[in-house]
Amino acid sequence: MKIYADHAATTRLDDRAYEAMCPFLKGEYGNASQLYSFAREPKKALKKARETIASCIGAGPSEIVFTSGGTESDNWALKGTMMFRKGGVITSAIEHHAILHSCKTLERLGRSVKYLPVSSSGVVTPATLIKNLSEEVKLVSIMYANNEIGTIQPIRELARISHQHGTIFHTDAVQAVGHLPINVKEDEVDLLSASAHKFNGPKGIGFLYIRKGVKLDSYADGGGQEYGLRAGTENIAGIIGMATALETSCNLMQERTAHIISLEKHLLNELSAFGLDFIRNGDKQHIPGNISLSFRNADGEALLHRLDLMGISVSTGSACNSTSTELSHVIEAIGLPNEYAFGTIRISLGYENTLEEIEMIANALRTILSA
Ligand code: PLP
């Protein structure tokens, strides 16, 4: 039996999304930018997908630009804002590498970057942001929710503070979109990154929300697609799949969240009942099902492999650095004591996980850790 418990890394393609994509992979293969009637269906579907996605996050359709995923959206938000602007950036120490490495590039171009520390539960406090803001800062980029420990940031407050200082506010919402109710207008964010494969959409497709009026340099120059901001023939099937998956996730969010939270509680109760010595990382406000656990005097990577041999897929930290045995930058930033830090695994549950699977994960951990 295989148990998949790494939904923060990626998710299975939703059946409805797959069905919606099929016609555009075969019969309806026309180029949406062409004027003839064969392009009509792809063009119509593209427009509808943009409207659907926009309405899921409270945006206008003209504020959604399609990208190849979270990494591209993050790179574009940062470099597109700062490439031709003087000044500095504020981000946090626990961002995804798509943000941190983009910041390194900006530093090489002479921009200054401040990496804000976080609390022991992984929160960027408004007070920390206020203390670090200055006239020089032109962009603040703080993730909506962390991929390794699930902590949700006080985005609305951080965005408001940034605006009070005349600064553009971007959020990497890759872990949040489709899992939390998001309204970009209420949150007052200027730029927001999302990726379809985190909410049961296809891989290699995502979007960047660009609030009307925010000036961003183009990501790719060419044929003028995506309002001239991101040229290239559109990935119609991917876009349709993403829109269908997001609409489904938003419609079913409440019931899926309730199920996932009940599984999460059960797992934690079981592990405590077994008397295992562990810390659950992250904040009370966290992505449902994102469970980062640090077991005392354990080896996270060895745990991952032992679980894998038992048919259970979990992660040690972020999927993107799963080959590295170094302590993750997130675990380092929250200041866990070493005897726990190196024994960290991330179990991330999805709506398809069952109570039976949770029991099997808990029992597997007991077997490994009690040996
Ligand atoms: N940002 C966060 C918070 C993520 O968790 C990820 C993926 O793990 C990304 C960005 C990158 O997204 P993508 O895989 O679509 O490039």
Side-chain angles (χ1 to χ4, degrees), residues 51-66:
E51 288 165 0
T52 301
I53 287 171
S55 80
C56 286
I57 61 161
S62 64
E63 296 174 309
I64 302 295
V65 180
F66 297 119

Side-chain angles (χ1 to χ4, degrees), residues 8-9 69-71 74 96 98 143 145 147 172 174-175 195 197-198 320:
T71 299
D74 284 347
H96 188 272
M143 69 203 315
N147 44 309
D172 171 349
V174 166
Q175 291 289 332
S195 177
H197 73 101
K198 306 289 186 180
C320 311

Side-chain angles (χ1 to χ4, degrees), residues 92-98 100 116-124 143 145-153 172 175 281-283 290 292-294 316-321 324 326-337 341-342 344-346:
S92 84
I94 61 164
E95 299 294 313
H96 188 272
H97 285 120
L100 295 176
L116 299 186
V118 293
S119 72
S120 58
S121 64
V123 176
V124 177
M143 69 203 315
N146 183 265
N147 44 309
E148 291 191 38
I149 57 173
T151 299
I152 299 170
Q153 302 296 343
D172 171 349
Q175 291 289 332
N281 303 307
D283 196 65
N290 185 316
S292 169
L293 303 172
S294 296
T316 46
S318 91
C320 311
N321 69 1
S324 160
E326 283 167 28
L327 201 56
S328 112
H329 66 289
V330 178
I331 297 302
E332 217 168 82
I334 60 173
L336 268 190
F342 284 99
T344 303
I345 56 166
R346 179 191 66 189

Side-chain angles (χ1 to χ4, degrees), residues 266-280:
H266 191 69
L267 178 65
L268 294 169
N269 287 341
E270 288 279 273
L271 296 178
S272 301
F274 294 157
L276 298 175
D277 186 349
F278 69 93
I279 294 173
R280 193 259 167 96

